[in-house]
């Protein structure tokens, strides 16, 4: 078995849609980033890559490459899953925590979980999604995602 840990953060910016877990959420600002800024998919991608000692998301999809400007982060996640399978492992479960002041994730957690289940080819009950507020941490203008994955040898 292998465990992978991923972490990502992006700052809120006006004029762009907010994507978290591959779902566009209603909010007056989105997350800036070279791709679509999806902190959850980025953290999951790095967790998967780290579990099989592959290069990280920034090495595989460098922000300096215009090809990835505005890219759907599901592309990164699919590449990470291919590398997991090529290394002889399968994903068992995911546990993720989002840290952001707004919007509230609770009303969207089931939708995010169901979408991730499809992207990751996992049952929804193998995906944990939690959200916390930053409570005085000084990160009210950002979203942070932590993700842990468990892999087992196939």
């Amino acid at each position: 078995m292998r465990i992978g840990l991923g972490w990502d953060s992006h700052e809120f910016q006006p004029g762009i849609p907010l994507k978290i877990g591959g779902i566009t959420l209603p909010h007056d600002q989105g997350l800036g980033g070279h791709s679509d800024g999806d902190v959850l998919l980025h953290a999951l991608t790095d967790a998967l890559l780290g579990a099989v000692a592959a290069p990280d998301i920034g090495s595989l999809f460098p922000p300096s490459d215009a090809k990835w400007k505005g890219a759907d982060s599901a592309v990164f996640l699919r590449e990470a899953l291919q590398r997991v399978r090529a290394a002889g492992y399968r994903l068992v479960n995911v546990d993720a925590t989002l840290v952001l002041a707004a919007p509230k994730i609770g009303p969207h957690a089931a939708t995010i979980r169901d979408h991730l289940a499809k992207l990751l080819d996992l049952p929804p009950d193998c995906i944990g999604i939690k959200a916390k507020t930053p409570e005085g941490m000084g990160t009210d203008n950002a979203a942070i995602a932590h993700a842990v994955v468990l892999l087992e040898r196939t």
Side-chain angles (χ1 to χ4, degrees):
M1 300 191 110
R2 300 246 182 131
I3 296 171
L5 171 67
W7 181 93
D8 194 39
S9 67
H10 289 290
E11 188 175 31
F12 281 100
Q13 296 178 354
I16 54 177
L18 175 60
K19 286 188 77 175
I20 295 181
I23 301 296
T24 302
L25 301 180
H27 195 56
D28 61 344
Q29 298 183 77
L31 295 170
H34 190 65
S35 63
D36 61 8
D38 192 324
V39 291
L40 181 53
L41 293 190
H42 294 178
L44 282 169
T45 298
D46 263 346
L48 290 165
L49 293 169
V52 294
D56 71 0
I57 191 172
S59 298
L60 294 175
F61 307 100
S64 58
D65 188 341
K67 171 178 167 179
W68 304 117
K69 181 71 176 161
D72 183 343
S73 294
V75 170
F76 310 150
L77 190 62
R78 282 192 287 274
E79 174 64 23
L81 281 171
Q82 286 178 343
R83 287 173 180 257
V84 163
R85 292 177 186 127
Y89 290 88
R90 76 171 191 89
L91 180 59
V92 175
N93 79 305
V94 167
D95 189 25
T97 302
L98 294 159
V99 181
L100 67 167
K104 295 294 183 195
I105 297 299
H108 309 287
T111 303
I112 293 169
R113 181 181 297 109
D114 290 344
H115 186 68
L116 289 176
K118 290 175 188 152
L119 287 174
L120 298 169
D121 194 24
L122 278 179
D125 68 350
C126 292
I127 300 170
I129 302 289
K130 301 172 301 302
K132 307 292 179 193
T133 56
E135 299 190 26
M137 299 287 294
T139 57
D140 286 359
N141 197 42
I144 300 165
H146 301 267
V148 178
V149 299
L150 177 65
L151 308 181
E152 72 178 358
R153 190 166 292 283
T154 53

